[in-house]
Amino acid sequence: MRRRLTYVLPILVVLYLLTGVSQVEPDERAVVRRFGRVIERPGPGLRVGLPWGIDRVDKFKVRTVQLTVGYNPDEVADSPGIPAGQLVTGDQNLVNLRLVVAYAIDTRDGELDNYAAHRDRVDAVLTREAEAVASEWAAARTVDEVLSGRAAIAQQVSDRLPTRIAPHRLGVVVQRVSVEHLAAPDEVKDSFDAVNQAQTGIRTRVNQAEQDAQRRTSEANSLSQRLLSEAKAYATERETLAKADADAFTKRLTSYQKLRQSNPDILAAIWREEVGKILAGVKEKGRIEVLDDVLGPNGLELNQFIPTRR
């Protein structure tokens, strides 16, 4: 018996001392406490310390944790009162909300110590505070605003949750918050869906009307630009023709003033020439053939009304 103890006792001592050897994996962080006081925070690798009962090594996976907060339809039947995640809106309606809070361990030394001390409370505190922030947000809004505010409520919880959990010293960092489920209770869901469909139809019609108005406005602007361009082109053309006529008249007037000195009957000659052009055009179109038969065989002779200067 003594011989057995001689062999067994050293083995037990060695095994006890080996409890002071621990391996921290690459994705882990550790906190070492000696008689309850934190003495070390080793990184990945092999650590040799004092055996169990003297040193306590707490190892944590450095990863993102997905925490579901709020409404769970499987728990509704077991809840005698208002189930978790069922919020009261500002107009006294109910909505069911389920959030997903993603958090990770804060690897800074002091925060890592906090996580080691309070890790059993982390999920409960995060759940309670996230529901409190969501309830405050919903209580200040109508049911329509809440049901259409998925992004807003996620942003509100994400912004305020770190401040709410700070006094608890949990040693975690809130990374993001998303809305997994947001709807009216099942008892009135059909009515809310009908209202939402009607509102969607209204928005669709409004959007179509706005698009049609924009299209018509664009077409009207295009037509206006085209007419304006054509008017400018027509004005330019008429102005050019008017200038050409004015230049021709000015040249003819100058010529007339020079010729009048040597030929006193030049005005009558010009008159006959112009009237002849007019009558030729009128006859060509058949507009005075009826008068020709009445006034005489030689047709209408307007030159007789201009006396020849003597």
Side-chain angles (χ1 to χ4, degrees):
M1 185 66 179
R2 289 182 179 178
R3 182 175 294 180
R4 286 185 179 181
L5 291 176
T6 302
Y7 291 109
V8 172
L9 188 60
I11 294 175
L12 293 176
V13 171
V14 171
L15 292 176
Y16 174 70
L17 293 176
L18 287 177
T19 59
V21 180
S22 60
Q23 174 70 31
V24 181
E25 300 297 333
D27 61 342
E28 292 180 334
R29 288 295 303 274
V31 174
V32 180
R33 287 180 284 188
R34 182 167 295 167
F35 299 117
R37 183 172 65 87
V38 177
I39 63 168
E40 188 181 356
R41 304 173 187 86
L46 185 66
R47 177 191 176 275
V48 178
L50 297 179
W52 178 83
I54 301 175
D55 284 358
R56 174 180 173 180
V57 181
D58 293 317
K59 295 185 290 185
F60 319 108
K61 292 285 187 182
V62 181
R63 59 186 177 86
T64 299
V65 179
Q66 302 280 351
L67 175 64
T68 301
V69 176
Y71 180 75
N72 185 349
D74 296 333
E75 298 177 357
V76 173
D78 301 330
S79 178
I82 297 178
Q86 192 165 85
L87 311 181
V88 181
T89 64
D91 53 359
Q92 303 302 308
N93 283 289
L94 297 176
V95 294
N96 295 334
L97 172 68
R98 181 166 63 250
L99 301 171
V100 175
V101 179
Y103 71 90
I105 299 171
D106 193 337
T107 56
R108 293 176 297 177
D109 290 347
E111 296 299 329
L112 194 62
D113 300 345
N114 289 335
Y115 182 78
H118 303 110
R119 58 178 173 171
D120 294 336
R121 302 173 52 237
V122 170
D123 287 358
V125 173
L126 283 173
T127 298
R128 183 174 67 250
E129 296 298 340
E131 288 184 344
V133 174
S135 298
E136 293 171 1
W137 185 87
R141 289 161 178 81
T142 64
V143 64
D144 291 334
E145 292 175 319
V146 173
L147 291 175
S148 61
R150 297 177 71 95
I153 192 170
Q155 188 64 47
Q156 177 78 355
V157 176
S158 180
D159 291 342
R160 297 192 58 189
L161 189 56
T163 303
R164 296 287 291 257
I165 67 174
H168 298 280
R169 303 175 64 184
L170 300 178
V172 297
V173 177
V174 177
Q175 295 180 323
R176 64 183 178 276
V177 177
S178 59
V179 176
E180 188 175 70
H181 176 80
L182 178 60
D186 293 339
E187 295 81 2
V188 294
K189 186 176 182 299
D190 292 341
S191 298
F192 272 93
D193 289 343
V195 172
N196 289 334
Q197 291 177 359
Q199 292 176 340
T200 300
I202 292 173
R203 287 193 295 268
T204 300
R205 290 180 178 272
V206 169
N207 292 335
Q208 291 175 347
E210 291 177 349
Q211 292 175 359
D212 186 59
Q214 292 177 355
R215 179 180 60 80
R216 290 177 179 271
T217 300
S218 178
E219 292 176 353
N221 290 335
S222 298
L223 178 60
S224 174
Q225 292 295 329
R226 181 172 63 82
L227 293 177
L228 182 61
S229 178
E230 291 177 355
K232 288 182 178 179
Y234 179 77
T236 301
E237 179 185 1
R238 300 311 300 176
E239 182 179 0
T240 301
L241 293 175
K243 287 182 178 180
D245 290 343
D247 291 341
F249 177 79
T250 301
K251 291 179 180 178
R252 192 160 189 179
L253 177 61
T254 302
S255 177
Y256 162 73
Q257 290 174 344
K258 291 181 179 179
L259 293 175
R260 187 177 59 177
Q261 297 176 0
S262 59
N263 185 4
D265 295 329
I266 187 62
L267 181 61
I270 294 174
W271 168 261
R272 292 190 185 90
E273 179 183 356
E274 294 299 325
V275 171
K277 292 179 181 179
I278 295 174
L279 290 178
V282 172
K283 286 182 178 181
E284 183 179 355
K285 295 179 180 180
R287 294 186 178 181
I288 61 171
E289 293 301 327
V290 176
L291 294 178
D292 288 348
D293 297 336
V294 175
L295 295 177
N298 295 327
L300 183 62
E301 180 60 57
L302 297 181
N303 294 340
Q304 62 182 321
F305 298 109
I306 301 179
T308 303
R309 184 172 180 178
R310 299 181 180 179

